């Protein structure tokens, strides 16, 4: 229930209550502990947040889902070296998993290792030419100074079958890498109207740090409202 409330209803307060109930039933429930770690991080309790994450990983150290969850925590906590280490552990164990390569690419991007990030993103596309991976490829190409290639990739996305969902948030990030903020603003707004799942965590996503505090983006954030009861 807590996952539904945060991912689809955009209601973090209700989700926190549901996760607390889950933790009361099972103090070692990884999902609830993961959310507790994010809550501690948002309160500025960084040391406590990392303690909780270490506990989550100790409960099931071989679980790829737990490792990926810890990766995202380190990513949002701006611990990019830690995120990269976790991503590399997953790509070494599961070399054919496109998402794990994309996670590694994001950490490399934020460590300013743009050529390596592009190579990982290209590998992700080779493994799974999804709309999500193509959007990431366009961003990586733009950041690596390959603007023409990035625009070709974005044009390629437009030819995808209509039933293949395009995440507006991720596509918007590609346009910001090209400096096309008007187009990005339209797509960010579209994502809010669609209640796109890829908007979850947008407030803390380090890839928007360069424009997070600009008035137009703050106005977009105000448009996000939780779903109320029927």
């Amino acid at each position: 229930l807590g996952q539904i409330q945060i991912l689809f209803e955009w209601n973090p307060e209700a989700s926190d209550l549901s996760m607390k109930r889950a933790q009361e039933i099972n103090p070692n429930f990884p999902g609830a502990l993961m959310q507790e770690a994010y809550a501690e991080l948002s309160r500025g309790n960084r040391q406590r947040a990392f303690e909780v994450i270490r506990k989550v990983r100790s409960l099931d150290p071989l679980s790829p889902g737990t490792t990926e969850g810890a990766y995202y925590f380190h990513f949002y906590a701006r611990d990019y070296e830690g995120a990269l280490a976790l991503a590399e552990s997953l790509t070494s164990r599961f070399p054919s998993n496109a998402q794990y390569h994309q996670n590694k690419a994001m950490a490399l991007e934020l460590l300013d290792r743009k050529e390596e990030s592009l190579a990982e993103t290209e590998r992700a596309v080779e493994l799974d030419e999804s709309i999500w991976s193509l959007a990431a490829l366009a961003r990586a190409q733009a950041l690596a100074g390959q603007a023409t290639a990035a625009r070709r990739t974005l044009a390629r996305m437009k030819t995808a079958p209509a039933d293949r969902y395009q995440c507006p948030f991720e596509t918007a990030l590609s346009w910001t890498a090209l400096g096309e903020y008007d187009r990005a603003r339209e797509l960010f707004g579209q994502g809010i109207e669609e209640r796109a799942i890829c908007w979850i965590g947008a407030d803390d996503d380090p890839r928007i740090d360069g424009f997070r505090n600009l008035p137009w983006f703050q106005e977009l954030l105000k448009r996000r409202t939780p779903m109320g009861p029927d």
Side-chain angles (χ1 to χ4, degrees), residues 60-131:
D60 195 355
L62 297 180
S63 165
T66 298
T67 302
E68 186 176 24
Y71 159 84
Y72 280 110
F73 173 84
H74 284 264
F75 179 80
Y76 284 111
R78 274 65 174 172
D79 176 20
Y80 306 129
E81 292 287 359
L84 178 60
L86 290 165
E88 287 177 332
S89 74
L90 287 170
T91 54
S92 64
R93 290 171 59 199
F94 307 97
S96 297
N97 187 300
Q99 183 59 54
Y100 296 160
H101 283 279
Q102 190 51 55
N103 289 347
K104 182 179 176 181
M106 289 196 299
L108 287 166
E109 173 196 324
L110 291 160
L111 287 167
D112 203 29
R113 294 163 62 177
K114 295 183 175 61
E115 293 297 334
E116 294 172 82
S117 177
L118 175 58
E120 284 296 326
T121 308
E122 290 172 339
R123 178 59 180 150
V125 172
E126 289 173 5
L127 292 167
D128 180 17
E129 191 174 311
S130 68
I131 295 298

Side-chain angles (χ1 to χ4, degrees), residues 37 39-50:
E40 293 291 352
L41 188 65
S42 69
R43 297 186 193 106
N45 300 330
R46 191 176 177 88
Q47 181 176 344
R48 171 59 184 161
F50 277 90

Side-chain angles (χ1 to χ4, degrees), residues 10 168-176 180-194 196 198-199 202 207-208 211 216-217 220 223-224:
W10 291 5
F169 183 82
E170 295 295 332
T171 308
L173 285 175
S174 302
W175 285 105
T176 64
E180 299 278 357
Y181 284 94
D182 287 341
R183 180 63 181 133
R185 183 176 181 175
E186 293 174 11
L187 287 164
F188 283 132
Q190 178 186 331
I192 291 174
E193 294 302 319
E194 295 177 359
C198 49
W199 252 102
R207 294 173 296 174
I208 67 170
F211 55 87
W216 65 266
F217 194 77
L220 284 172
R223 288 166 52 189
R224 293 193 310 160

